[in-house]
């Protein structure tokens, strides 16, 4: 007997037109519409971090971008929305160069307990929550350096389209690693689970040619930046320590291939030998940079590479290890990393190494990203330099300095506001009152907004 067309389509997994479905499906919520024209009255405006802030200014936002900045509180033209930030300190949206949105972040015990009854669909829900937490904390752009490549790409595109609220995502897909290295998800698992993981790990590579393949595979899945593990890591459940895990030839193959596709490259690196090999190979950012010597600093400056210190990560990992929520193999690594990181970062900052803000959030909790600022100041940065590292300098490190990082005509209307002056007390950034992303207000605690219909 011939199947009815609708049943046949369902059996074959073919999408059935909505008109043919018997059950009514509620329509998806429409994306938020951005006002075409918004006037923001800023009491204090740090439009170009690194320069002096200006008093009493008006930012004019048109179609999601900065159109103009005027001195004084300009009277709005007909039909414009008005946002009153006369009692706030206004600055560009912040950029976090190192987050992990995918899955449960900041709670390793909960993540471990859920391994057997959670899958990527649960992780996507967590990723949306994490993205929203980072956005509400004032981070309007994040570089995601490790998660399900298809899932993060889908989340990135949903945010860009306005269907989901979150920061702009620059995604790396899965970190590239040698077999048995920091990015080998089968490490420490029983045979049946390790075999299942390895069957899907196209990010693992051994030898230069295989590493070129791994880079192309991540780009094929939508990666906008490439990340590789130059050294061991604190949180991987292996006893290999924090030393160099890739050969210089493998690193160069990864970096050259990524650059040929127009992608920048981030190296997860703790040990000096791994950092220096990655710098020699032409890497764009060193993330963590826990053990740094004078020779490392000289290479940073000669190559023009950026250091993304992620100072909150070793502090958090050490606390988690000592509390017993991480595997025992991580404890000596966490202790070594936490002891060395502060002094290494102090030396790099004092020497003038270029610094871009990053946290490794996902080790720490999403929404706590701004706690990194106080650690940066403790390591020798001024509050102004720390803010610049999370705005115009991070935008430069991303290759997007012409799009984000400052409040200037033509750039995206990514704008935040806080009470008090963060250039005097950088911890003011730990409580953000107002967030605009791409011209859309996503957080306005206690802020008066007047829309044309009002």
């Amino acid at each position: 007997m011939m199947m009815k067309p609708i049943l046949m389509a369902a059996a074959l997994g073919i999408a059935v037109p909505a008109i043919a479905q018997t059950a009514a499906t509620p329509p998806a919520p429409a994306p938020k519409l951005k006002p075409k024209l918004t006037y923001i009255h800023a009491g204090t405006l740090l439009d170009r971090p690194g320069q002096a802030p200006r008093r009493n200014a008006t930012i004019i936002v048109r179609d999601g971008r900065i159109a103009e900045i005027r001195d004084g509180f300009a009277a709005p033209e007909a039909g414009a929305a008005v946002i009153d930030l006369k009692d706030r300190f206004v600055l560009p949206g912040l950029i976090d160069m190192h987050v992990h949105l995918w899955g449960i972040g900041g709670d390793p015990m909960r993540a471990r307990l859920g391994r057997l009854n959670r899958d990527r669909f649960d992780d996507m829900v967590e990723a949306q929550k994490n993205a929203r937490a980072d956005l509400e904390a004032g981070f309007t752009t994040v570089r995601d350096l490790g998660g399900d490549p298809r899932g993060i790409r889908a989340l990135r595109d949903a945010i860009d389209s306005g269907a989901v609220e979150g920061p702009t995502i620059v995604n790396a897909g899965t970190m590239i690693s040698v077999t048995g290295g920091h990015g080998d998800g089968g490490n420490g698992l029983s045979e049946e689970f390790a075999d299942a993981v390895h069957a899907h790990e196209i990010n693992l590579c051994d030898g230069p040619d295989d590493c070129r393949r791994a880079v192309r595979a991540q780009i094929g899945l939508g990666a906008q930046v490439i990340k590789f593990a130059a050294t061991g890591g604190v949180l991987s459940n292996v006893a290999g320590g924090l030393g160099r895990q890739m050969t210089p030839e493998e690193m160069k193959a990864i970096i050259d291939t990524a650059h040929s596709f127009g992608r920048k490259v981030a190296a997860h690196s703790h040990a000096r030998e791994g950092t220096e090999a990655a710098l020699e190979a032409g890497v764009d950012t060193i993330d963590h940079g826990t053990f740094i010597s004078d020779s490392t600093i000289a290479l940073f400056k000669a190559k023009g590479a950026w250091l993304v210190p992620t100072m909150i990560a070793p502090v958090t990992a050490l606390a988690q290890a000592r509390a017993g929520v991480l595997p025992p193999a991580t404890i000596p690594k966490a202790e070594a990393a936490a002891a060395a990181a502060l002094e290494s970062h102090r030396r790099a900052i004092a020497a003038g190494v270029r610094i871009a803000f990053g946290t490794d959030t996902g080790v720490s909790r999403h929404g706590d990203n701004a706690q990194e600022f106080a650690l940066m100041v403790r390591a020798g940065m001024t509050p102004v330099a720390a803010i610049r590292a999370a705005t115009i300098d991070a935008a430069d490190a991303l290759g997007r300095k012409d799009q984000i990082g400052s409040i200037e005509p033509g750039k995206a209307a990514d704008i935040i506001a806080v009470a008090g002056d963060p250039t005097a007390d950088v911890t003011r950034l730990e409580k953000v009152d107002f967030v605009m992303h791409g011209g859309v207000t996503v957080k306005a605690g206690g802020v008066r907004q007047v829309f044309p219909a009002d």
Side-chain angles (χ1 to χ4, degrees):
M1 183 176 67
M2 182 177 292
M3 296 177 68
K4 292 183 178 180
I6 293 176
L7 293 177
M8 181 180 293
L12 294 174
I14 300 172
V16 181
I19 194 169
Q21 294 179 16
T22 55
T25 302
K32 287 189 177 181
L33 297 177
K34 60 181 72 173
K36 291 185 179 299
L37 183 63
T38 302
Y39 278 54
I40 300 174
H41 291 158
T44 305
L45 173 62
L46 185 65
D47 52 338
R48 300 180 185 187
Q51 299 183 12
R54 54 205 290 182
R55 290 284 300 164
N56 298 349
T58 299
I59 307 166
I60 301 175
V61 176
R62 189 184 302 274
D63 294 327
R65 307 196 81 79
I66 308 297
E68 187 181 351
I69 300 172
R70 297 182 190 170
D71 292 328
F73 300 135
E77 59 188 88
V82 179
I83 298 174
D84 184 357
L85 298 174
K86 297 187 186 76
D87 61 345
R88 299 296 204 282
F89 191 104
V90 180
L91 64 158
L94 304 173
I95 302 167
D96 193 330
M97 292 284 288
H98 193 131
V99 304
H100 298 280
L101 294 170
W102 195 254
I104 298 171
D107 192 342
M109 181 60 77
R110 181 180 165 215
R112 289 171 66 196
L113 291 174
R115 286 285 178 88
L116 295 180
N117 60 4
R118 293 176 57 87
D119 57 29
R120 65 186 187 279
F121 302 107
D122 300 287
D123 287 336
M124 172 58 93
V125 173
E126 291 288 344
Q128 291 184 51
K129 289 165 55 181
N130 293 338
R132 177 71 194 197
D134 290 349
L135 181 62
E136 291 194 349
F139 290 84
T140 52
T141 299
V142 299
R143 189 174 65 160
D144 184 273
L145 290 187
D148 181 272
R150 295 181 185 277
I152 291 296
R153 178 201 50 76
L155 180 59
R156 177 199 74 195
D157 292 349
I159 291 170
D160 287 348
S161 72
V164 173
E165 284 189 347
T168 299
I169 296 172
V170 180
N171 58 307
T174 308
M175 177 171 64
I176 294 170
S177 166
V178 295
T179 301
H182 179 50
D184 185 343
N187 286 330
L189 298 181
S190 63
E191 183 177 7
E192 58 182 310
F193 292 116
D195 288 346
V197 168
H198 284 150
H200 299 281
E201 284 194 314
I202 61 174
N203 61 304
L204 297 186
C205 64
D206 298 292
D209 285 343
D210 198 25
C211 287
R212 292 185 187 96
R213 174 207 53 79
V215 170
R216 292 169 183 147
Q218 292 306 309
I219 292 172
L221 291 171
Q224 295 177 327
V225 63
I226 293 297
K227 178 190 180 186
F228 71 92
T231 74
V234 173
L235 298 186
S236 54
N237 189 24
V238 292
L242 299 172
R244 192 187 61 155
Q245 293 184 335
M246 270 192 182
T247 68
E249 294 77 17
E250 288 169 331
M251 294 186 198
K252 186 163 177 31
I254 289 168
I255 294 165
D256 287 351
T257 304
H259 286 172
S260 74
F261 278 85
R263 267 61 171 182
K264 290 186 178 291
V265 184
H268 158 100
S269 190
H270 289 288
R272 178 184 62 81
E273 295 83 359
T275 296
E276 292 186 0
L279 289 169
E280 289 278 15
V283 77
D284 298 290
T285 72
I286 293 290
D287 290 58
H288 312 310
T290 306
F291 299 90
I292 288 176
S293 69
D294 289 343
S295 60
T296 320
I297 289 170
L299 271 174
F300 265 111
K301 300 183 81 170
K303 298 290 186 176
W306 296 85
L307 172 62
V308 182
T310 66
M311 296 182 191
I312 196 172
V315 174
T316 303
L318 181 57
Q320 292 170 345
R322 288 176 173 169
V325 297
L326 293 176
T330 66
I331 295 176
K333 293 187 290 184
E335 289 177 339
L342 179 58
E343 184 56 34
S344 287
H345 296 152
R346 277 179 173 156
R347 294 177 68 186
I349 290 165
V353 170
R354 299 204 293 177
I355 304 293
F357 183 101
T359 59
D360 208 1
T361 291
V363 176
S364 53
R365 292 183 186 275
H366 288 275
D368 290 345
N369 316 50
Q371 292 179 11
E372 180 84 9
F373 285 109
L375 297 173
M376 296 170 82
V377 171
R378 181 184 170 197
M381 298 187 80
T382 65
V384 170
I387 293 169
R388 184 180 170 96
T391 51
I392 199 163
D393 286 346
D396 193 6
L398 281 176
R400 300 192 180 195
K401 193 176 180 180
D402 61 332
Q403 303 170 41
I404 55 176
S406 60
I407 301 175
E408 298 182 74
K411 292 192 176 184
D414 292 348
I415 299 167
I416 67 171
V418 298
D421 182 357
T423 66
D425 178 5
V426 78
T427 64
R428 295 281 187 177
L429 293 172
E430 294 177 15
K431 187 178 186 303
V432 173
D433 299 317
F434 172 85
V435 179
M436 173 179 279
H437 179 228
V440 177
T441 300
V442 295
K443 182 179 182 181
V447 172
R448 183 170 178 266
Q449 301 182 83
V450 179
F451 294 93
D454 297 342

